Structures are given as C-alpha cells and as structure tokens.
Amino acid sequence: MNKTTLVSSTFENPSTRLCFFLLFLAQTTVLSRQKPFRWLNTRSDQRSYIYFVMVGGEKQSLSPKEIIHHKFGVKASYRIEQVHVSSQSTCLYRCHLQLPDFSVVSNVFKRKKDAELSAAELALEKLGIHPQGDDDDDDDITVEQAWDDIVERIKYIFSDEFLSSDHPLGSHLRGTLLRDGERRGSLPLSIIAALDAKINSRCKVINPSVDKDPILAMSYVMKAAAKLSDYIVASPHVAALRRKNPYPPAVVEALATHGESIKVEAVYIQCATSGEEVVDLITLDISSGRYYLDIIAEKLGLKDSSQLIISRTFGKTPSGYECRVYSAIPKLNPSDKSSKAYGKRPVDDEEDQSSRFKNPWNAKASSACGQDIHGDAIVAALGYSCRSNDLEHDDVTLKSFYRICCGMSPNGIYKFSRQALIAATLPFSFTTKSSWRGPLPREMLSIFCRQQQLAEPVFTISTSPVKPLSETLRSLKKLKDSESNDSNNQCVNEYAGSDDSFNHYNSKDEEELPVLESGYKCGVKILSKSLQDLVLDCSPRNFYEKESYAIQNAALKALTWFGSLFDDLDADPEQPRCYMKGHMNWMFTRNVMIKGKFPSSKRYEEPAYDESKTMDMDRKPKRVQTIPNGSLVSISYSVSVEVEADFWGRSGKCLRELTESNEEIEFEVGVGSMNPHLESVVTQMSVGQYACFVTNMPAEGLVLADANDTARTRSLLSKLAAGLEYNVHLLGVKGPTEKRVESVFFKPPLWKQRVGYAVKLIKESSASTLVDFGCGSGSLLESLLEVPTSLQTIVGVDISQKALDRAAKMLHVKLNKEACNVNTATLYDGSILEFDSRLHDIDIGTCLEVIEHMEEDQACEFGEKVLSLFRPKLLIVSTPNFEYNTILQRSTTPENQEENKSESQLPKFRNHDHKFEWTREQFNHWATKLAERHNYSLEFSGVGGSGEVEPGFASQIAVFKREALVVESVAEGSMQPYKVIWEWKKGNEEKKE
Ligand code: SAH
Ligand code: MG
C-alpha cells in the first residue's frame, strides 16, 4: 500500500472528520513552529539518500568510526585525554577527533573505545550524516512501510490474543471492557499513541515531530485505523478505537472481578484565564470496576477518557514512579482572534498559536512535561506496567511536583546538584576547575539536553594564531614607561586603593578569566533530537588558554541562555541578557519546545534587606565587599519562610518555617553561584561572623520544592507579609588562586610578564642552548617559539609527569608549525637538585617560580648545583616577593579581622604548594652569596609593581652572569640521572619515552 491510497481511502470512512481535525490540531501546534531552514532541507535530502542506500541492499551498516575513516582516512586523528574525577578513583577518558575542517570532543567515558565512538558520532552529526543502527530498525524503513506497520499493529492490538498479553495496552483494554454499552472496549487514541512503542517508532518515521506533539501521533493512529474499517470502529466524534466484533463473553466476564479500589493523590493545575495557574492536590478515587483514565477524565470535566491527551513521562516521584500530564484534547476557537488575553506561549507568541484554542495555554503543565498543554491538567503517577496487571501508582505531592518542575531548568539542575535550591544559582562564569563546585557545565548541559529531548551538544573548537608575546612585550614596555614617570604601578593602583576603587575590581566586566586574544575558542550547537533542527548556535568570542576551559565556558553560556528562557519570560529570548553582551554571537530559532516561566518567574528584586536590622553588621553603614571575587567562601546557613519579617522577635508573634539549611557549603565569590542577596551579605562579613537578613519571596514553586512541611509553608506563603529570613555564619575564606590573582591584579597577567621578561633577555643574548629548570607545562618554551631567537637547542626539566605531558603536547604542535631556528627540543623527567652532565655548560638557564616549591635548604642546594655544575652563561631565577602579598591579600584581610587573626584561614603564601616565599632581603641574600661563591655577576629586577616603590615587585627576579669565559669540562656521560620523556629533532620524527 502506498501513501496516496491510504489518504484517499480515509475519505470513505466516517472517522475522516476526526482524523482531519486531529491533524489540523497537530499542525497548528507543532508544524507551525518549524522555520523552514534550507539547512533542514538538505538534512532531509540526506536522510532519504540514506534510506535509499539501505533499501538498495547495502544492509550492513557502517559504524560511525568506519564512516569517518572512509571519508577522511588518515586525515582524521583521534586523541584520547585522561580525565581525573576527584570523586571517583577510576580514570575516565575523553576523545578529541580532529578532522580537516573542524574538531569535536566527546563526553567522558569509562572506556577509551566509547569515547572514540562518541567523538565519531558527534563528528557525523556535524557533517549531517546519520549512521544507521539505532536499537530500533525504524530508520531502515520507508514511510509507506511505516503506515503498513501501524495498520498491522492496530489490528493486532484488537485481536483476541492481545487481550491477554502482558503489554500495558492489554491492561487498558481490559479496563475499557469493564464499561457498559457503546463504550465497552473503546480504547482512547491517546493511550495507544503514548504507550505502544512500535506505533510510536513508526509515527516518528512518518514525522519526527511526534515526540513533541501527542496529537500528531493520535491523528496517525486514527488515519491508519481508517484502513481497517471492516474490523475497527473509529467513530467520527470520539478519539477512541473499538473492535467491531465483540470479544468472547467468557473473556470479558473473567475480567469483571478484577481490580481493587485505590486512592491516589495527584496534582491539579487549574488554568486561569488571566494570571498564573492554580496548583492544588486532588485525590483520584479509583474504585474497582472502573477504568482509571475515565476517572481522570471526569476530574477534568470530560465525558470519558477518549477526550484525554496524555503527555510523555517526564519526571519521577521520590519512589521512582513516572509522571504524566493528563489534559483535554484542545478545542479550536470558533473565532480566531477573540481570546488574545489568554495565556500566551512564550516562545512563539508571534504566531499567537494559543489564541486558536479555546482554553488558555497552561504554562505550568507545559513547562513540566515539555509539551504544549491547554486548559486544566492533572499530573499523576499511575499506569499499567508489563510486569503486572495491577495498576501501579504513587502519590504526586505538591513538593514532588514542584521538585520535578524545578529540576527541568539549567538553574534547577545546578540547585539540586548543590542541594541548595534557594541559596545556589547557576554561575554565569567558569573560572577554574578547582573553584567550580557541582557538576561541570558540560555535564549539566548534557543532562539538560537529555531532559528536554535535545540531541547531545556538539562542541566545535578552534584555535587562533598566537600573537600574545609581542603583545605582552609591548604592554610590558608601556607598563615600564608609565612606571618611570609615575611613582606607582597602574594596575596596583587601580585595585588596591580606596574602597571606591576597589569596587572597580568587583565590577562585572571582569567576569571571565583569563581574557586572552588567542588560544582556544569553543562554540556549541544544540539540535533537537527528533528533527535534528538547530535550536541554539552559540559561538562565544572569548579565547581560553585551555581547550577544556573553552568547552566548559561554551557549555555554561548555552546553559545560561536556556536558563534565561525559564527564568525570565518577559525578556525576548532573541535578546541576550546583558551579561552576555559582547561575548558571543547568538543564533536562536523559535522551534524550541522548552517552556519557561517556572519555577522562578519572580526574580529576586533588590534585597529588602535592611541594614539597620543586620546583626553584627550595623556598625558598618557603608556596604563594602571585603571578600574579593575569586575567593572560595565557606558558610553555613539556614533559610526560613517567615511572616511579619520581624526577626528581632519584639512582638514574639513571628511565624516561621525552616525551608533550607546547609551545615557547610563552599562557593566562589563573583561568579553568581549564590543568590545575589546571600553573596552580597556574605562578602561583607568577616570569618566567624553571623548575619541575619530578610528578603522578598522568590517564586512560590521554588520554596515549595524545598520546604519540609508543604502545607504549613503554603499557608505562610499566602500571608501578605511573608518574607525569607536568612541566617548565615561565615566559616572560612580562601583567597583566590595564585593564577587568578595574577590575572586579575595584573595586565598582562603576571605570569605573562615574567615570561616576557625572560624572553626579552634571551632575545638580546646570542644564546643557542637553553635549559628551563622546572619548566612546568612549558609556558616559557612556548613563548620562545613564538618569537625569533638564536636558540637552536631547548630543554625542559621537571619532576611532574603531568606537566611534562602537557609541555610535550604543546611543543609537538608548536615545533611542527612554527618555522624557527630550533633544531633540537628535549623534555627530561628529573629533579633539578641533581646534576645531569648532558646539560653542562649551557648558554642560558631559566628557573621561573620554581624554587619556592622546594624546601629552603633545597633551594640553596639547587643554587649551588646550578652555578657550580651546570654553569650556564646566564641564569634567570624568579620567585614571589612575600612583601607584595599584603597588596594582593589586602582585600581579603579586612581591618576588623586583626583581632581574630587566628580564625582567619587566609593563605600565608600565594599558592598552597609553596614551601616558602621570600622577602626582597631574603632573596637578595640568597642570590648575592651564591653569585659571590661561583664567580657570577648579579642584577636584581622583577615584574608586577615597581622596584622603586614599597613593597617592590610582585615577582622578584635575579639575573646571574657567568664571569669566567671557559669552564672545565665534565666527563661525558658520567652523570645522566634525567630520563628523556620526549625528544624532537628537525627533519626527524619525534620520539616519546
Ligand atoms: N616554570 C614554570 C612552572 C612553575 S611551577 C612556569 O613558570 O610556568 C613549579 C614547577 O617546578 C612545577 O612544575 C614543579 O613540578 C617543578 N618542580 C618542583 N620541584 C622540582 C624539582 N626538584 N625538580 C624539577 N622540577 C621541580
Ligand atoms: Mg609558584
């Protein structure tokens, strides 16, 4: 049978009217939302091409990796990255797949193989190729075949045989057979469409948007049933199917006694013609001998279950039962334009679809299940399973309903992960992995996409030609110039001055770190699962130093953007929120099925927080943020709903209900990971202090999702003077990480200035060999390859395998790309406290920010060894200036903390790994004695701040010059404790390990 005969046959059938009505409904709700993209068309062409191939006999489908291999051969390169998850002891893998035009990165997996497969799949997705081999075979079949299958399946569902099957539809049939008269055995279309996997998958072949719209699937079932007019009754007014011939009486009689009476709680969402929906509990009283869907239908004021539509399952009760939304099949409005005042759908109000329906759009129900719901709705957790014939059921409480709703938004996912529904909010910026709390943005985006039936996000990474060093040198020069005519360093001045200038430091434009002009850039595309059409294309313009940071930030941007759909419906979704300005290009299409408005429609307003009432803080009338952005803050807190906002308790009549509390929670300041009130208050406190403040109410749903006693909380919320009372105790503060401080306080970041300083000296020398002692990830070596130098041999030594791995990767890319004089590059695994004769008599030794990572006596030992044995012509050593810490940490040490210094958890040093940090005097002493003993001349300098002004440079630098022209040679090969980790020679292949 083909499609045309099917359609024409429907005209002869009485069910035609309903069928077309349903189709019309479906088209108005779903199809109108698709923008006709050219992109989409090419996609469907590709799809049909693949069908063709499959039907044409090439049954064996290729795996994604094979397809990639066929297309790109050796031009496709897979790289596996190990990912360490601190919470798990196992090692996970992520795969990077580089293709000629783009690269993709997989999610993390336990097995390398899975990571590779996932990367290949992502690449195919980007290429618009759909490999076959889903668990179901529905991609192999044609639309005609799909129609045939549906017809076939319906016939089977109404066979005698099926009545006793374990299939949930069998139980439904048995349920409907308990009715009397005409309606006996009349099975609602919606339940067939919702519960039968086969029919569902075939409907998807006909039109992939059935996922979004149950009505569409119902119309297909109706249409197919029309083909069975000899066998099935599809009456013109009822969305239900019935068998023409009665079932054998014996079978029906056997059913009669079946079933017991059940009482189930469910949530009723009443649609108001204006304003928000009213949510309340109802009890479904399912007496034995009645079909449960009829009871739900009655509650909704419907005649019977044939008027119902049933949503997909979307959330679980605490004991794991899946919920669905039940509502009436929407009725069309007789006059189209009459009801504009009804609830508006947010995403595509342009077309004003909702006004076509008699009933207003139900925002809460729609947001819960991700499908369009009109009119009143019931959320219930009950149904038949394959396992038993009994009706499985669970109560849906208000709390569990609100929790499900809350967990649908990106913000909600984050809130749940932190177990802080009221206190936590999805951060707007990802700074460092070490300060991020909760699941990483990338994982959250995956969770979100799965929940919303979107495809896995596709990340695209690009790198840009690097130009940073010349830039660094230039700005370094500018800095030095400005220092020489002014007494102080501009950066420091900006941040460390009065309270007012300190505010500058906290301003929001400093949200991203580090701000680079080169490095990794990552965009993310999100497609809908069924239609593969583009939902979001987000390409941030920022560069990040590390690939993973670029990815995390792209994921976070996407989450934030989706979040804005949920949180702020009034805002035009095409208008990005202010904090995104200048950071990315957005593209958004309207065919998103995500619904907003809920649960945090009411946004936090200006804190109703009254300073005169804040304990311990009333001595400080001016609000000053004393804990700087980037700090990690640890607090304990509780939040209560309270009426009369009178926490002094003068009246003693304060009604209060505890909503949320946390004994200890840690968060980063300045990235929006806590609600603004809490963060603003906490960052004005000092360690050990308590504070109490009151704010307006957030969205009711949020509070109810959180509250222990829903009924009592609800009654408090209904009172006019209800507010939220916070009690906070500041447990501890850790200063921002060294890297962050270096990036926030210094422009260019201090590490860049250090590297720039060394590169300048190296350029000026005519050195040909260089050893970087404690090279770390190779930041200096990298920069050296970006500018012309006379260097021919470069060597890095470190004891960290991880750092050396990173350095090797970087060198591999740089050396094979950049044309330079360097003809040998080697990385050694070894301790610089040991001498290796291969590195004797080199031109330049560098040792940037390394000695403070050893014990002091080891630093002395290193000094001795390097000058007496390695004997470089020039040695550059840098280390932090301890005295400068007062400036970096001033902000984290408010004056009133002098008294309780013992409680302060501020780091003494800039980095927890530092074993010491020297004052200028200590450093001078060390270097001077050393230089004297080994016949070196010595110069002091530094970067960050000024050498002439207290407290000196932020990073102090000593430059040792060898006085002796010749050095006695060391026996070749006498001492070679270092292990070659990676080696590169011009013209030759590189060697590893
Ligand atoms: N010089 C690099 C890295 C500084 S971090 C930069 O400026 O970016 C300090 C580095 O010193 C770390 O990578 C650490 O592994 C290394 N290190 C510490 N003690 C060492 C030792 N005894 N021998 C070799 N490397 C050492
Ligand atoms: Mg250091």
Side-chain angles (χ1 to χ4, degrees), residues 29 141 326 329 466 568 636 639 739 929 960-961 986:
T29 58
I141 58 170
Y326 301 82
I329 295 174
V466 191
D568 191 0
S636 78
V639 184
K739 185 135 198 184
K929 285 274 139 44
F960 300 82
K961 273 205 185 88
K986 205 170 227 160

Side-chain angles (χ1 to χ4, degrees), residues 738 849 852-853 914:
E738 187 181 14
E849 306 292 291
E852 72 276 7
H853 291 262
H914 288 180

Side-chain angles (χ1 to χ4, degrees), residues 754-755 772-780 797-800 803 830-833 847-850 853-854 913:
R754 259 188 317 258
V755 166
D772 190 15
F773 294 102
C775 62
S777 316
S779 53
L780 175 64
V797 186
D798 206 290
I799 39 166
S800 159
S831 168
I832 57 173
L833 295 171
C847 186
L848 305 184
E849 306 292 291
V850 178
H853 291 262
M854 317 170 174
D913 192 44

